[in-house]
Each structure stands twice: as structure tokens, then as C-alpha cells.
Amino acid sequence: MADSIRLQVSRYRPDTDAEPHWQEYDVPLRKEWTVLDGLNHVKNEIDPTLSFRWSCRMGICGSCGMDVDGEPKLTCGTFLTDYEPGPVTVEPLANFPVVRDLVVDLSDFMAKLPRVKPWIIRDDDHRTVEPDVEYLQTPEELDAYKQFSMCINCMLCYAACPVYGLDPEFIGPAAIALAERYDLDSRDQGTRERLDVLIEHEGVWGCTFVGECTRVCPQHVDPAAAIQRYKLKAAMATVKAFLLPRGGR
Amino acid sequence: MSDSVIRAAHDVLIVGGGGAGLRAAIAIAETNPGLDVAVVSKVYPMRSHTVSAEGGAAGVIADDDSLDEHCYDTVSGSDWLGDQNAIEAFVREAPRELLQLEHWGCPWSRQPDGRIAVRAFGGMKKKRTWFAADKTGFHMLHALFQTSLRYAEVTRYDEEFVTRLLVDDGRVHGAVAIGLMSGRIQAITAKAVILCTGGCGKVFPFTTNANINTGDGMALAYRAGAPLEDMEFVQYHPTGLPFTGILITEAARAEGGWLLNKDGYRYLQDYDLGTPTPTPELRSMELGPRDRLSQAFVHEVEKGRAADSPYGPVVHLDLRHLGEALIDAKLPFVRELCLKYERIDPVHELVPVRPVVHYMMGGVSTDIDGATPLGGLYAAGETACVSINGANRLGSNSLPECLVFGARAGRAAAEYASAAGSTPSVVEAQATDEVRRLERDLLGKRPGGESIAAVREDMQATMEEAAGIFRTGPAMAKGADTLAELQERIGDVDLADTSRSFNTELLAALELANMLDISECILQAGMQREESRGAHQRTDFPARDDERFLTHLLVHRNPDGRSRIEHMPVTITRWVPGERVYGR
């Protein structure tokens, strides 16, 4: 194993740079070191002006997503030794506006998330219900939605999604997976409300089922399956609307 | 309004968007829908460190359990330093708060019949820890965050860092914050402020804590004139992964994991923690409290019975006998973390672990409604000290603490804000001063040659040396001297980054200043407490001394910047101080 590895890092400062450019840093290559450790070495020892987001360094907070050698990755779970002998490129996540260096602008996702109503909807308005006892939910009912509840909002699926890249109006994999997470929850009664949002023309229809979202997900969520299920639900709703009085509602 | 020094005015401003902050926001939106509430956080709320909590959240629900037993476990776990009125309120309200989270969609693990499942946890005599596999904090935080999106009336300032509280005449009137994306520095006024910024593990070099845990709320309160309480009590979690410090949850032991020394011997039996049994016994052996287990590790090292690793001495966590099915069902994150960061599969191999700084028992001193002595200033969660944790927190009490006292602080702050008058004009001048300080002293400064990383590293090494699992007066005094030098050096810190856009170097400088103040409070309180209690173990004063120290220490900041310690009595309602007994 070599002693060091070269990082090629995308730099961009809006106050001074017209466009992004590459900057190279040699960092120690150690078997325990992740790409994030390499970036922190740069920040602490070589160049304190490099900006990037990170926090938990254990793959759960979702802050440190970047494109590593062109693939969206959580840098805290991506090891430098996997890129020997280097160089390895580190860029901001694709498909997002770049704020600065490796920091992208997530405002679009943050605005889209509430639109799919990612909370429990009940016919009895639970804002006023004082909980005395749990809603029963068997382990099997829990398993029905569990994988869709594992999303950490890291945005790797948006960076990998060719549809989102072309059409920013597309509501996107993580948001749709979260809608499905609540739809499948036995405690929830909000499927119809979410469907109304998602069958709008850019809700789910943009997806051409490339499946990149599922492939890159670090939590093994399957957003592609969620999108597929929504297309089916939407098609069923359309058929019902056509066949049944009052649109089947 | 955007160019004015005052950016916006709210009734209640919550600083921090983790478990406590979001619970407070929802409490206000539900109970006082007419109030204007805002949450300002230096990260997006779902990035907050609540996300990393693994094992679970305690709340009495099982038929064989009782509120009194949860109280007694918590009181004895705190080495009788917890305030019993606060503990009683906490224990009483925790189950309802956890049920509320259930109604908000938290995917709690279940029994076959659909009821909530509970697991054992360290220092708890009954099974009462609710869990969502071993990603409990993650699921709680996302359930809270997603539920909070329902309340469109809650304004959020994401990725904005608060640098100062605005205070006039003993009352808080808002805060000054830097927008990380825009670089804009402006004041947000409010009639009440709730600090929910979490802990400060990053004052130590080896911690489970995230990069963001820099004690910002504690430092803001301290500088604004609110005292910090119980700061000498720092919790070492007995099982962190070497090198990274990543937490391996106590649930691993609750599910039956063993701690072994290098000879494969369950060494805890040598430290008055009980005798080994094949299946876990509550309040015994591996299910003893964290302070006692971390201390036992140090003794094993001294006896030469710890194993060697490239990152110093370790012991081994043995999960092999639990089997793959149980590990995958109850501890999937543990397996994932071991595989990724240690390249070890706990189904077949021993996991190397060592104690790691995990939690601050101390924080901003509050009453049981989250109120600080400063008018309009509230605090909840790890930032605060109510104090339910006293000298040692029990695992799985901190998540429900965020909920119970987040909600309480939210309701109390709402009531205060409803009655409070308008913001005095002097606040605008204060805000202008703060903007000038940041512009001139930090961003417009000539290079002084010091590096943030170097000062931070020295601070962390100093704290590990002075305020570790075992402490002495002279070592703490020496550490305090070094901190004073570091306070000088931070004045010469060189900011190479003068950009307005997402300047993480500026952020790091401000966080470091916060951590230096807090470090000083930890050592000053530690020197004053000449006894050993809970997580504060002094080899020069090895016994608990109820006569002199059955008392909280409050650290105040004098106008000259130096600290001053005062005593505050412990509230005892029903449980008179006694011996802490585990395993017998």
C-alpha cells in the first residue's frame, strides 16, 4: 500500500470564481481512512478554506454525500484504499446547484418534501387526540413499510437520477419513497391525499424506471419500487375514476 | 427588512432542531397556535445528533413495571445527585411522550400481538426501553421532523449559526445568527428563546459525538449570564469502536452480549457488579451503569488484562452466542458499523471496544419547566441540566428527556411569550455591535499565525488528560492553566477563508471559542468537587462525601470573563441517599 493518495477536489467560491476548477491534495493513505478523513486532513493540515458538510461520520445523518470518482457516495463510508492508487476525484453531488466547493443547495428537496405529506394522516385529527394507548401494529405490519422508513435524506438518489437531472420539477426518489412509507404504514389513512399530489404530471410520471436511485442508496431503500407502486396506484385510480360514479372516492 | 440589522421578529425562537427543539416547536404550535415560533439550526434538522442515538428510550409501560422503580433506578444511577422532583415528573410523563411519538409514526419495534416491545438496559431493574431496532434516535428524529412539516406556521432557519443572545435588563430578546449560505449576519428577535443545541463531546479527542456537538447553547447561555450546572460530570460510554469512537449501543449487552478481557474472562465480576450468568440479569454485570463499567475498563488496563490494538488497549464485546438471526433483527446497525468500520463480523468475531466520551450530564441550569434564571431563556435536552441525570445518566433516559423537557420548555416559553412586552430598542444596538464584532474581529482580521485545528487539538488533548475517567486536583489545575493559554492563542487564530459563502472556517473558529469556555467550566467544577461520585472519580478524593458535596455546582461567568462556582441544594423527595448496589 502506498503512503499517500491524491485527491482531486472540485473548488468553487462564488465571490471569486467564475466556474469550478480542480485542486489537488496529497493525503495519507491509511486503511481506516475514509474519503471524509482525507478531506478533514486537507481542512486541518493543508487548506482550511475547503468547505464541505459532515457531521456524524457513521452513515446516519446524511450530510456528507459527494460524488467520488463520479459516483454519489457518503464520504464517511467510502474508504480511500478502494481507490488505490488514485487519484480520486471528489465533486459536489450532481444535479444540484453548487453553493461553494463541495456544498450543494438542497432547498429544492426541502421544499418538495412537505408536498408529499410525510406524516401520519388519520380520519380522526390526531392533533387533538391525547394518546393513552398505542395503535397496535404487528411485526408483519411494521415490515411492510420498514425499508422505506430508512431514508436518511442524503440526496444520493437525486444525484444519480437521470430524470431529476433533466427535469427539476420531478418530485424525486426519496420524497416518493417517503410517501410510500406512510401509505404502507397500517396506522395511516392518507393514501388518497398523497396520491392526489403524486399523480400531478411531474409527480411520478417523469420516472423512466432507470433504477439508479435504488442502486446508489446507502440504506438499501428501494425508491424505484416505490415509484413503480405509485404508477400502479395512479393507474388504478384513473380506471376507478372512469368506471365508478363519483370517481371512486 | 432584509438589509436591516433586525431580520425578523418571533414570539419564541428555538435554537437547535434535534429531538428537544422539534418537540418544543410542535408543543408550542399545538398548545398556542396563535404564537409565532421559529427554529434556527446550524444544520438541517434531520442532521441533528439525535439521529445517532441507537439503543432506545425508557418509559414505563410493561405490566410488571412501576413509575417508582424507574424513579429509583434513575436516582441511584445518578449517585443521588439527580433532582427527585424533576425525575418524578420525567418518569411520569415519559410513557405518554413515547406514545405520542408512536402516534406520529415512529416505527417502534413490536411484540407479536402488535403492542410496543421493550428491552433491558444498563442500570434499569425492569425492561422498559422502547426501541426501533438499533436506530431509535434516527427514527424518532425523522418522525418528529416529518411531523413538524405539518405545522406550516413554524418558521425554520436552516443552516444558520447563532453567535450571541440579545439580553437586556435580565431578559432575553432574541439572537444574532449567521446564515451559512448567504453569509448574512442579522438579529432574529423573540420574546422567549429555547436552547436545544445538544452536547459538547467535541471538547474531547475521542467521542461518539458528531462534529456539530460543540456546546453552542451552553456557551451562549453562560455568556448571557445563565449558570451551567453539574458540568464536572462527563459520561464515558463503555463500548466505542477504537479509532473512530463510533458507538456500539448498550442494547448489544442488553440483548446478551458479554464484555471479555484479553483472556476471554468476563472481568466485570471482579468489580462488585455481580456474578456471570449465561443470560442477562438486570442491574448486573454487563447491564451495570456506564460509569462503573468504564471505570472497570481502566482497572483492567492497569492490571495488564486488556488486549492491545493499534489504537491502544481494548476489551472485547462478544455477541457470537446471540446468533445471526437475533443480531440482524435487534442489532442490524451494530453489525453494519462493525463490518464497515472494523471489517469485523460480530456474528463470528469479537468486537474490540473501549470507553469513549458520550454525554454531558451537565448543562444550562433549568427548573422542571426548562426555565433558566434569565428571564425568557429556556433550555432542554442535553444542552440543559434539569437535573435528572445527576452524576451519571442511565442509558435510554436521554431520548425521553428530550421529549418530556422539550415539550415542557415549549409550553412554558409559550406562556412567557404570551405575557411578555415588546422588544426594547437597545437590542438593535447590541445586534449591530455583534455584527461589527464578527465582521471586523473575525472576517476582517489580519493573520495572526495560529491555526484553528492546532488550538482545537491542544484543547482536546488537555481535556482528555485532565478530565478523563479518573481525575486528580493537580491534573485539573494544570489543564486549566493550559486552557488559559489556549484562550490567548485563539485570539491569534488565522482565518484564511474570507468568503461569505458557506465559510466553515469561520464556523469552526466560533465553535472553538464556545468549546474553550465550556472546557474551562468542566475543569473549574471538577476541581471544586473534592469527592468521587458517579462519573466524577478523583483518585485524590476516592469516596463520596455527602456531607460536603450532596449539592450541585453552578458555574457563573463573572463580568471579567472568569468563572465563579456556587452551590445549589439537591432536591430530595422520597429516596434518601444510600449505597449504589449492582449485581447483589
Side-chain angles (χ1 to χ4, degrees):
Chain A
M1 195 166 86
D3 289 345
S4 71
I5 190 164
R6 179 158 295 180
L7 300 181
Q8 282 183 337
V9 181
S10 175
R11 299 298 309 269
Y12 171 68
R13 273 159 291 182
D15 353 28
T16 51
D17 301 339
E19 56 186 38
H21 60 276
W22 295 107
Q23 194 159 347
E24 297 189 338
Y25 305 99
D26 289 329
V27 302
L29 180 63
R30 299 186 182 145
K31 79 172 172 30
E32 301 86 350
W33 273 31
T34 61
V35 173
L36 178 61
D37 291 314
L39 291 172
N40 272 320
H41 178 84
V42 172
K43 177 101 184 152
N44 293 335
E45 309 293 334
I46 305 173
D47 183 353
T49 69
L50 180 65
S51 270
F52 50 95
R53 292 187 181 103
W54 72 286
S55 185
C56 78
R57 58 80 179 87
M58 56 191 281
I60 193 76
C61 79
S63 303
C64 69
M66 299 169 210
D67 275 12
V68 180
D69 264 5
E71 273 274 303
K73 294 279 189 187
L74 288 181
T75 52
C76 74
T78 303
F79 289 82
L80 286 170
T81 47
D82 291 341
Y83 296 88
E84 267 191 285
V88 51
T89 64
V90 186
E91 297 168 89
L93 286 177
N95 296 339
F96 291 94
V98 179
V99 175
R100 154 89 190 257
D101 295 339
L102 300 167
V103 177
V104 295
D105 185 348
L106 306 180
S107 320
D108 178 59
F109 172 75
M110 295 305 284
K112 280 175 177 162
L113 187 58
R115 280 174 51 198
V116 303
K117 304 184 187 221
W119 51 78
I120 295 278
I121 297 171
R122 302 275 297 183
D123 295 340
D124 53 342
D125 182 0
H126 73 150
R127 281 203 203 206
T128 56
V129 175
E130 283 274 315
D132 286 319
V133 65
E134 68 267 50
Y135 300 134
L136 295 179
Q137 184 167 70
T138 65
E140 294 72 31
E141 287 170 328
L142 175 63
D143 282 344
Y145 69 90
K146 187 83 197 237
Q147 67 117 326
F148 293 113
S149 76
M150 305 307 275
C151 170
I152 60 173
N153 303 168
C154 66
M155 300 292 100
L156 300 197
C157 56
Y158 285 72
C161 175
V163 179
Y164 184 65
L166 294 170
D167 178 9
E169 292 301 305
F170 177 47
I171 206 153
I176 296 173
L178 274 169
E180 184 68 356
R181 171 250 176 277
Y182 283 96
D183 275 5
L184 290 172
D185 190 322
S186 58
R187 298 167 291 187
D188 179 81
Q189 298 163 327
T191 302
R192 182 75 231 183
E193 281 184 45
R194 290 187 201 97
L195 191 58
D196 287 345
V197 175
L198 285 162
I199 59 178
E200 285 170 28
H201 68 288
E202 302 301 347
V204 288
W205 301 111
C207 175
T208 51
F209 203 60
V210 184
E212 284 295 295
C213 49
T214 297
R215 192 178 62 79
V216 300
C217 179
Q219 300 297 319
H220 313 295
V221 180
D222 188 358
I227 297 169
Q228 203 62 352
R229 296 166 79 121
Y230 259 107
K231 284 189 174 179
L232 192 65
K233 272 188 265 192
M236 293 295 288
T238 311
V239 171
K240 274 189 195 162
F242 184 68
L243 292 177
L244 299 175
R246 297 189 306 282
R249 288 182 190 224
Chain B
M1 189 108 174
S2 66
D3 289 332
S4 144
V5 70
I6 310 273
R7 175 176 176 187
H10 299 281
D11 291 316
V12 182
L13 179 66
I14 298 165
V15 186
L22 291 175
R23 184 66 190 88
I26 297 173
I28 298 166
E30 291 213 323
T31 55
N32 300 63
L35 285 183
D36 179 354
V37 54
V39 179
V40 53
S41 168
K42 68 176 173 177
V43 291
Y44 284 105
M46 69 282 189
R47 314 294 190 217
S48 308
H49 188 54
T50 304
V51 83
S52 296
E54 296 174 20
V60 171
I61 191 171
D63 294 337
D64 70 341
D65 199 1
S66 70
L67 299 181
D68 276 5
E69 285 172 285
H70 190 186
C71 284
Y72 178 79
D73 287 340
T74 304
V75 169
S76 56
S78 79
D79 217 345
W80 273 272
L81 198 73
D83 285 318
Q84 296 179 10
N85 58 335
I87 291 171
E88 288 192 72
F90 162 70
V91 164
R92 193 170 59 239
E93 292 170 26
R96 173 153 293 198
E97 284 293 332
L98 297 174
L99 277 174
Q100 181 67 77
L101 254 284
E102 194 280 325
H103 277 39
W104 288 339
C106 186
W108 296 116
S109 294
R110 304 286 180 150
Q111 302 177 50
D113 65 2
R115 288 183 302 147
I116 296 294
V118 284
R119 65 167 33 135
F121 234 72
M124 302 275 193
K125 189 68 185 169
K126 290 284 164 62
K127 289 188 179 183
R128 62 172 70 100
T129 297
W130 304 36
F131 59 102
D134 57 356
K135 289 190 178 176
T136 309
F138 160 77
H139 284 299
M140 282 179 53
L141 182 65
H142 280 254
L144 278 167
F145 174 60
Q146 288 160 14
T147 299
S148 80
L149 298 174
R150 271 187 86 155
Y151 303 90
E153 59 269 37
V154 176
T155 303
R156 279 212 331 271
Y157 299 100
D158 294 335
E159 298 198 316
E160 305 219 6
F161 181 79
V162 171
T163 66
R164 179 182 174 176
L165 295 176
L166 300 169
V167 182
D168 180 53
D169 199 19
R171 287 172 173 246
V172 170
H173 297 286
V176 173
I178 303 180
L180 295 184
M181 278 225 288
S182 66
R184 217 165 45 184
I185 307 168
Q186 282 177 305
I188 303 168
T189 64
K191 292 169 181 168
V193 173
I194 312 177
L195 299 170
C196 304
T197 57
C200 61
K202 293 304 274 188
V203 305
F204 289 87
F206 188 65
T207 174
T208 61
N209 282 197
N211 184 46
I212 55 175
N213 296 118
T214 52
D216 306 326
M218 296 179 196
L220 288 170
Y222 179 61
R223 289 187 203 131
L228 306 182
E229 177 182 349
D230 294 350
M231 290 301 285
E232 62 274 36
F233 299 103
V234 176
Q235 178 161 80
Y236 278 75
H237 192 291
T239 59
L241 294 180
F243 177 61
T244 59
I246 287 172
L247 171 72
I248 296 301
T249 172
E250 194 161 298
R253 283 170 281 130
E255 296 297 339
W258 299 326
L259 283 173
L260 309 176
N261 67 15
K262 71 173 182 183
D263 306 318
Y265 173 71
R266 289 175 71 185
Y267 60 91
L268 294 176
Q269 62 190 289
D270 295 354
Y271 300 97
D272 194 20
L273 283 158
T275 48
T277 51
T279 52
E281 285 278 335
L282 293 151
R283 273 183 75 117
S284 176
M285 289 293 291
E286 282 84 358
L287 289 182
R290 291 174 177 174
D291 55 341
R292 297 278 302 276
L293 266 60
S294 292
Q295 291 151 21
F297 170 88
V298 176
H299 293 308
E300 280 300 285
V301 173
E302 285 165 359
K303 290 176 188 170
R305 303 201 302 190
D308 292 324
S309 90
Y311 301 99
V314 295
V315 289
H316 289 121
L317 178 66
D318 187 357
L319 306 179
R320 295 171 300 178
H321 54 287
L322 302 181
E324 187 167 10
L326 185 140
I327 289 172
D328 284 347
K330 301 277 186 67
L331 304 166
F333 196 29
V334 166
R335 191 177 187 189
E336 180 190 323
L337 292 169
C338 291
L339 282 168
K340 187 178 283 175
Y341 293 101
E342 293 289 330
R343 296 181 174 91
I344 275 174
D345 186 351
V347 171
H348 306 292
E349 296 164 279
L350 297 172
V351 183
V353 291
R354 56 163 277 199
V356 52
V357 168
H358 184 54
Y359 183 88
M360 287 299 297
M361 268 66 82
V364 183
S365 182
T366 73
D367 67 13
I368 62 171
D369 288 314
T372 74
L374 198 58
L377 185 65
Y378 297 77
E382 192 175 343
T383 321
C385 179
V386 185
S387 136
I388 65 162
N389 301 309
N392 174 64
R393 176 176 71 81
L394 293 187
S396 77
N397 268 354
S398 69
L399 288 173
E401 178 180 4
C402 287
L403 300 175
V404 168
F405 294 102
R408 277 178 163 259
R411 291 189 293 261
E415 196 173 319
Y416 178 93
S418 302
S422 57
T423 306
S425 56
V426 61
V427 160
E428 188 161 341
Q430 276 187 23
T432 307
D433 276 355
E434 177 65 357
V435 172
R436 199 175 302 135
R437 177 183 81 95
L438 295 168
E439 300 271 4
R440 189 192 53 204
D441 295 0
L442 284 163
L443 283 168
K445 190 164 166 268
R446 282 195 307 278
E450 268 296 352
S451 111
I452 293 170
V455 176
R456 188 172 55 211
E457 232 168 79
D458 287 352
M459 171 195 70
Q460 291 170 337
T462 302
M463 292 304 286
E464 184 169 57
E465 186 66 29
I469 295 173
F470 288 98
R471 307 164 170 184
T472 67
M476 286 187 281
K478 183 162 166 264
D481 289 345
T482 310
L483 288 179
E485 289 163 23
L486 295 178
Q487 288 281 17
E488 298 283 318
R489 280 173 59 191
I490 196 181
D492 293 327
V493 151
D494 181 357
L495 282 192
D497 192 346
T498 52
S499 170
R500 288 306 162 114
S501 170
F502 227 94
N503 188 333
T504 49
E505 197 191 15
L506 171 64
L507 183 64
L510 295 167
E511 290 172 333
L512 178 59
N514 289 345
M515 291 193 286
L516 280 174
D517 280 2
I518 292 160
S519 298
E520 189 195 335
C521 294
I522 293 171
L523 293 187
Q524 292 300 335
M527 282 187 278
Q528 291 275 321
R529 186 174 287 280
E530 295 177 330
E531 66 158 354
S532 290
R533 183 187 298 271
H536 177 71
Q537 292 292 313
R538 287 190 55 165
T539 50
D540 47 354
F541 293 94
R544 193 173 91 186
D545 183 352
D546 284 349
E547 204 144 298
R548 290 177 67 208
F549 288 107
L550 186 61
T551 178
H552 299 290
L553 299 183
L554 295 182
V555 192
H556 293 263
R557 186 175 184 274
N558 285 333
D560 67 358
R562 299 169 71 93
S563 59
R564 177 180 88 251
I565 305 269
E566 286 176 8
H567 288 218
M568 186 174 76
V570 174
T571 304
I572 291 176
T573 57
R574 293 157 59 199
W575 295 275
V576 292
E579 189 196 357
R580 287 173 83 198
V581 177
Y582 294 98
R584 58 185 158 92

